[in-house]
Amino acid sequence: MLRVEAQTRLGALRLDVALEVSPGECLALAGPSGAGKTSILRVAAGLLAPERGRVLAGDETWLDTAARIDVPPERRRCGYVFQEYALFPHLTAWQNVAYPLRGVPRRERRERALGLLERFGMRELADARPRTLSGGERQRVALARVLARDPGVLLLDEPLSALDPRTRAGAARELAAVLREVEAPALFVTHDFAEAAHLGDRVGVIDAGRVIQEGTPSELAAMPRSAFVADFTGAVVLTGVAHGGPNGLTRVDLDGGGHVTSTDRGEGPVAVSIYPWEITVEPAAAPPAPGSTRNHVSAEVLSVTRVGNRVRLGLAGPQPLAAEITGLAADELGLRAGARVTASWKASATRLVAI
Amino acid sequence: MRAFPLLLALALAVVLTFLTVPIVAIFVDSSPAELIDSLGEPGALDALWLSLRATATALAVILIVGTPAAYLLATRSFRGKSLVVTLVELPLVLPPAVAGIALLAAVGPSGILGGAVEGAGIELSLETAGVVVALTFVASPFYIRQAMASFAAVDRTLLDASRTLGASEARGFVRVMIPAALPGLAAGTALALGRALGEFGATLMFAGSFQGITQTVPLAIYDRLGTDFDSALALSAVLVAVSGAILLSVKFVQGSEALGGAPG
């Protein structure tokens, strides 16, 4: 269990948060840059001292300003993956990984570092310097180095943002595998809600130093408590398996049943993303109008949340969906929880990303 | 319009001639055989040997004390820091003769700390130790300034990473900060070395000019000016060669820094 409470002033920002992460769980902190996400990680790691706060990890107290406890960073067992990975440029990949292995005999250090690199398919590059490695390779070295520390807590600061879009999907997959495997509680910081939804068991949306809403990704998308969360949660993400279809279109069989069509190319496991405002809703009783819209999914309305002049509908289909319509349309259709509807959207509004 | 590039080239030609002719003259004025001959004279060898020892000792002191001090100035902020930095840099612009007088006033036989130094059984004035003090005083700001800049240029998250990986700050300083700042530290060392090797005024005022004890190469050159011009030329040639080697090594280190300094 990791518990972080912090209240402190950071320039113009007032940070005031209280978070708890269970063992084996990953809490993703998502928010715009400057919201204070990284500062929370720095408080947890002991790199930033808040005016008031507590950090509890398992049965250890790392920080308690009221009791004047402040364990230095080197004695907190944190696995901190920095945004640009912070690999030591003068050391080779294996020497970077061996850095936390103190008091281990020389030969064993190398063996253990090589073993960890092997796990990430990096053994051949053990003698390479960081500057000769690609972004994805650097991330793997950084993860191996953090695991060498045998961390009690994992802290990940935008580990995917330094990567180009092509390598990001693969790196996210590797990261997800590490997060599944490690039993330590993990805090993951990102400015990208889709990334948070993919890697976090729960997502906390942070704005201006506060956690403004916390929940599973689909809860946040379906029932945003503020316009900020509604905008930030952006696209709905579904998963499925893509096959090339007729006319150059791609057919995706959704996990849990049903299928959708996309104009994007894709093959194999994909994440399908649609913006809630691209989705139209009709009562299920009405037959689908013969129109240009290719995708129709029948669903039950779970929640109706007013966000300004809009209404966010949480929908239970084969996978959770969220649609955004005007308040006027919601009233005319008489939509309330429990209503059966058909959600429709165009193939050209359906984005595919390989996972 | 065509006149301007010509003017630029002319200016460069004047600069180049003015700066290189005197140096070339050292080697042309007397034959190489004569130069080597006059180096064999005992006084010249003494001066070379003394310069070598005193400079090496001063550099060791500068590196051992100056490196952690520069690291502190580069990584901490505190009230009055800019004043401290200015005080550290002051000897850079101080006339060497003033540096000599200042050292005499501080730790000379009748200086404000002279009694304490004598009480500790240390002889400075007219002793080799005095030469080391003078060299350290004038050369250390060259190193500390450069070291501060190199430490400040190292990405601070490297130190953060080192700490979260279980290393104390002291260990991070030795294992991460010094290696990462090494090209800059080497350049600073070369600058201090060059300054210490050429030191004249402060050494003369503070330690005197006694052959084999306080007479470094620059003092020996001055000493021979009226009596043995060839010998003065020979010693000068040695200093030119050493200075050239220092300059080249700085360029080399900075060149490899430009190649290898890309962020990790």
Side-chain angles (χ1 to χ4, degrees):
Chain A
M1 191 269 301
L2 168 69
R3 184 162 180 82
V4 182
E5 295 164 19
Q7 286 134 40
T8 198
R9 183 159 284 288
L10 297 165
L13 184 73
R14 172 107 205 127
L15 186 71
D16 187 352
V17 291
L19 304 163
E20 198 166 305
V21 196
S22 312
E25 188 191 29
C26 175
L27 173 63
L29 296 175
S33 46
K37 307 182 298 285
T38 299
S39 300
I40 296 170
L41 297 189
R42 292 180 69 82
V43 167
L47 297 171
L48 174 69
E51 286 152 25
R52 286 191 298 144
R54 284 202 308 158
V55 177
L56 309 176
D59 51 5
E60 292 174 36
T61 300
W62 286 349
L63 175 78
D64 188 344
T65 48
R68 295 181 170 277
I69 296 172
D70 185 3
V71 176
E74 58 267 29
R75 300 226 313 273
R76 304 185 183 194
R77 280 198 309 125
C78 280
Y80 197 134
V81 177
F82 291 84
Q83 193 167 354
E84 310 273 350
Y85 309 128
L87 298 179
F88 303 129
H90 59 288
L91 300 180
T92 62
W94 82 263
Q95 287 169 332
N96 264 283
V97 176
Y99 190 83
L101 301 172
R102 285 188 75 195
V104 177
R106 229 185 146 67
R107 172 172 288 159
E108 203 190 319
R109 274 166 51 109
R110 190 178 148 85
E111 281 314 306
R112 275 171 59 181
L114 289 179
L116 280 160
L117 284 171
E118 174 108 67
R119 196 179 139 178
F120 290 94
M122 289 284 293
R123 189 168 175 132
E124 283 72 52
L125 293 168
D127 291 318
R129 305 254 167 193
R131 72 165 180 278
T132 65
L133 298 176
S134 72
E137 289 161 351
R138 284 181 206 175
Q139 189 207 31
R140 289 183 226 157
V141 175
L143 285 172
R145 185 174 72 171
V146 151
L147 295 184
R149 171 119 167 94
D150 186 22
V153 163
L154 266 186
L155 304 171
L156 306 145
D157 190 0
E158 307 242 9
L160 301 173
S161 68
L163 303 176
D164 60 76
R166 276 184 307 133
T167 44
R168 200 173 292 156
R173 230 185 353 259
E174 273 169 16
L175 194 56
V178 170
L179 289 172
R180 266 198 306 279
E181 212 170 297
V182 170
E183 276 162 31
L187 258 181
F188 170 82
V189 151
T190 176
H191 61 268
D192 181 350
F193 180 75
E195 214 172 273
H198 181 193
L199 291 166
D201 301 306
R202 275 184 304 135
V203 177
V205 178
I206 299 208
D207 187 35
R210 283 165 192 276
V211 178
I212 51 180
Q213 196 175 347
E214 208 183 304
T216 64
S218 51
E219 275 167 18
L220 292 177
M223 286 175 282
R225 281 208 290 269
S226 65
F228 179 82
V229 177
D231 286 340
F232 189 73
T233 51
V236 175
V237 180
L238 310 174
T239 57
V241 180
H243 316 278
N247 307 323
L249 297 175
T250 305
R251 176 190 159 115
V252 180
D253 290 315
L254 296 176
D255 301 338
H259 71 269
V260 296
T261 305
S262 170
T263 48
D264 283 4
R265 289 185 184 285
E267 196 68 53
V270 288
V272 180
S273 67
I274 319 110
Y275 286 110
W277 45 88
E278 305 273 13
I279 298 179
T280 62
V281 171
E282 283 127 42
S292 62
T293 308
R294 307 293 319 168
N295 294 318
H296 306 281
V297 170
S298 68
E300 184 187 332
V301 176
L302 280 184
S303 62
V304 180
T305 313
R306 275 193 188 272
V307 184
N309 59 0
R310 300 167 281 164
V311 167
R312 183 69 72 95
L313 301 174
L315 304 174
Q319 292 180 47
L321 267 176
E324 199 166 282
I325 58 177
T326 59
L328 211 60
D331 292 342
E332 279 173 17
L333 292 171
L335 290 177
R336 57 178 59 86
R340 303 283 321 174
V341 295
T342 302
S344 309
W345 66 91
K346 289 162 71 89
S348 56
T350 311
R351 298 279 78 79
L352 299 185
V353 181
I355 55 172
Chain B
M1 283 306 283
R2 301 271 309 270
F4 188 61
L6 218 67
L7 206 67
L8 295 181
L10 190 67
L12 178 62
V14 170
V15 167
L16 206 59
T17 312
F18 182 70
L19 293 183
T20 51
V21 164
I23 293 172
V24 172
I26 290 178
F27 295 92
V28 176
D29 201 43
S30 56
S31 74
E34 279 174 319
L35 286 182
I36 291 165
D37 245 21
S38 29
L39 278 181
E41 176 222 344
L45 281 181
D46 280 351
L48 281 169
W49 177 230
L50 177 73
S51 264
L52 190 71
R53 264 165 42 222
T55 305
T57 314
L59 265 186
V61 173
I62 291 169
L63 288 179
I64 290 167
V65 184
T67 308
Y71 170 78
L72 186 152
L73 288 173
T75 56
R76 305 280 201 281
S77 51
F78 51 87
R79 192 176 304 205
K81 178 175 157 178
S82 50
L83 178 68
V84 171
V85 172
T86 308
L87 289 175
V88 168
E89 289 175 345
L90 192 58
L92 281 178
V93 291
L94 218 54
V98 176
I101 291 286
L103 285 173
L104 278 175
V107 290
S110 52
I112 52 172
L113 300 172
V117 171
E118 216 164 286
I122 303 166
E123 288 280 339
L124 290 182
S125 81
L126 313 186
E127 287 293 338
T128 305
V131 178
V132 172
V133 169
L135 297 189
T136 306
F137 184 80
V138 298
S140 54
F142 285 84
Y143 173 74
I144 293 174
R145 230 172 99 96
Q146 178 70 39
M148 260 172 62
S150 342
F151 281 130
V154 175
D155 182 3
R156 286 297 299 276
T157 52
L158 292 183
L159 197 58
D160 288 342
S162 163
R163 296 199 76 187
T164 60
L165 291 168
S168 65
E169 190 183 0
R171 190 172 142 85
F173 171 63
V174 174
R175 292 277 318 267
V176 173
M177 290 301 275
I178 290 183
L182 204 57
L185 298 184
T189 308
L191 285 174
L193 177 65
R195 177 69 185 87
L197 217 50
E199 215 301 306
F200 178 79
T203 315
L204 183 62
M205 310 272 296
F206 182 62
S209 177
F210 292 94
Q211 187 189 325
I213 301 168
T214 67
Q215 194 180 74
T216 57
V217 174
L219 295 179
I221 292 170
Y222 182 70
D223 198 48
R224 280 158 178 70
L225 201 53
T227 55
D228 187 357
F229 193 70
D230 277 348
S231 175
L233 268 180
L235 285 169
S236 303
V238 172
L239 278 194
V240 169
V242 173
S243 308
I246 293 170
L247 186 62
L248 280 179
S249 61
V250 171
K251 297 248 178 209
F252 178 76
V253 164
Q254 283 175 343
S256 63
E257 181 180 22
L259 287 175

